[in-house]
C-alpha cells in the first residue's frame, strides 16, 4: 500500500479509515482491475493520470466518482492525477449529492446559482477545490485526449460505445440512488452509494505503486 499523506480533512480521513475493501467481491474486483491497471501504467511511466467519469446526466454517480477518486489520489499521495466528470447531456449536480458529501466532511460552497449551479468542493485545506457542475463530454472543461473514460451508468455505457479521445473506455457501473429520491430512504441510499464508490476507489488507489 502506498504511503498516505495528511492532505484530506480529518472528517474525511475518519470516513476513509472506516472503509472495508475486503467486502468487495472477486467479481467486482475483475471489473475494477482495468482502471487499476491504467493508473498503474501511467504512474510507472511518470505520466499524468487523467480519468473522466461519465454518466447520462452528470448529476450523481459521475460526480461522486470524480470527487472520491481525486480525494483518494491525494490521500495515497499518487501524483499528477486529474479527475473529471461528464454526461451525455447536461442537467445539474443533484443537491443530495452535495449534502451527502458535506456530511462526509467535504467543504462545499455554491459559487453560482441558476439551473446548473457551480460548486466548489474541497477535500483538504491546502488542496485545489474540485469544481462541480453538470457538463457534456465535449465541454472545454474536460480533457480531449490521453484519458480513461469510466462509464458509471448502464445507459451512458450503451449510448457511448466510443468516447472520442479516450485511451481506455472502462465500464464500472453503479446503481442509481435516484431511484430513492423523495422517499424516506433517500439520504441513506445516497450515503450508501457514496461509500461504495469511496470503498472501490480506495481499493484501486491503495494498490498503486508510484
Amino acid at each position: 500500500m502506498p504511503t498516505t499523506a495528511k492532505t484530506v480533512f480529518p472528517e474525511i480521513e475518519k470516513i476513509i479509515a472506516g472503509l472495508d475493501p475486503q467486502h468487495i467481491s472477486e467479481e467486482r474486483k475483475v471489473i475494477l482491475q482495468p482502471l487499476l491497471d491504467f493508473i498503474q501504467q501511467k504512474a510507472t511511466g511518470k505520466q499524468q493520470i487523467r480519468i473522466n467519469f461519465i454518466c447520462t446526466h452528470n448529476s450523481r454517480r459521475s460526480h461522486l466518482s470524480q470527487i472520491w477518486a481525486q480525494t483518494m489520489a491525494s490521500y495515497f499521495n499518487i501524483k499528477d492525477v486529474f479527475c473529471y466528470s461528464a454526461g451525455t447531456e447536461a442537467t445539474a449536480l443533484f443537491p443530495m449529492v452535495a449534502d451527502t458529501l458535506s456530511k462526509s466532511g467535504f467543504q462545499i460552497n455554491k459559487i453560482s446559482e441558476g439551473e446548473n449551479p457551480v460548486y466548489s468542493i474541497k477535500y483538504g485545506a491546502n488542496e485545489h477545490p474540485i469544481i462541480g457542475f453538470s457538463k457534456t463530454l465535449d465541454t472545454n472543461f474536460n480533457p480531449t485526449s490521453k484519458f480513461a473514460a469510466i462509464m458509471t451508468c448502464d445507459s451512458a455505457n450503451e449510448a457511448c460505445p466510443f468516447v472520442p479521445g479516450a485511451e481506455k473506455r472502462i465500464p464500472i457501473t453503479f446503481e442509481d440512488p435516484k431511484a430513492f429520491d423523495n422517499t424516506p430512504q433517500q439520504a441513506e441510499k445516497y450515503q450508501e452509494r457514496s461509500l461504495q464508490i469511496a470503498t472501490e476507489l480506495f481499493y484501486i488507489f491503495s494498490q498503486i505503486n508510484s
Side-chain angles (χ1 to χ4, degrees), residues 154-206:
D154 289 326
S155 55
N157 188 34
E158 293 166 3
C160 297
F162 172 73
V163 179
E167 279 186 30
K168 295 281 186 180
R169 181 189 175 283
I170 305 169
I172 302 178
T173 61
F174 303 95
E175 291 183 14
D176 194 352
K178 180 182 179 180
F180 296 91
D181 286 357
N182 302 312
T183 74
Q185 295 173 281
Q186 184 180 30
E188 174 192 345
K189 290 299 182 179
Y190 273 79
Q191 178 71 353
E192 181 182 294
R193 191 61 57 242
S194 178
L195 291 178
Q196 180 203 352
I197 290 169
T199 301
E200 294 187 354
L201 289 164
F202 177 98
Y203 166 76
I204 288 170
F205 280 98
S206 70

Side-chain angles (χ1 to χ4, degrees), residues 5 27 57 94 107 122 148 180:
E27 292 82 3
H57 299 115
F94 193 63
Q107 291 184 0
K122 289 202 74 171
F180 296 91

Side-chain angles (χ1 to χ4, degrees), residues 97-111:
V97 170
D99 290 346
T100 301
L101 291 167
S102 179
K103 289 174 183 175
S104 292
F106 291 86
Q107 291 184 0
I108 299 179
N109 293 300
K110 189 184 287 188
I111 55 179

Side-chain angles (χ1 to χ4, degrees), residues 36-55:
L36 198 163
D37 291 342
F38 174 84
I39 296 170
Q40 184 61 71
Q41 179 187 9
K42 294 290 184 180
T44 300
K46 306 298 181 186
Q47 297 174 290
Q48 292 182 333
I49 302 163
R50 300 187 183 277
I51 310 169
N52 196 355
F53 295 93
I54 299 164
C55 202

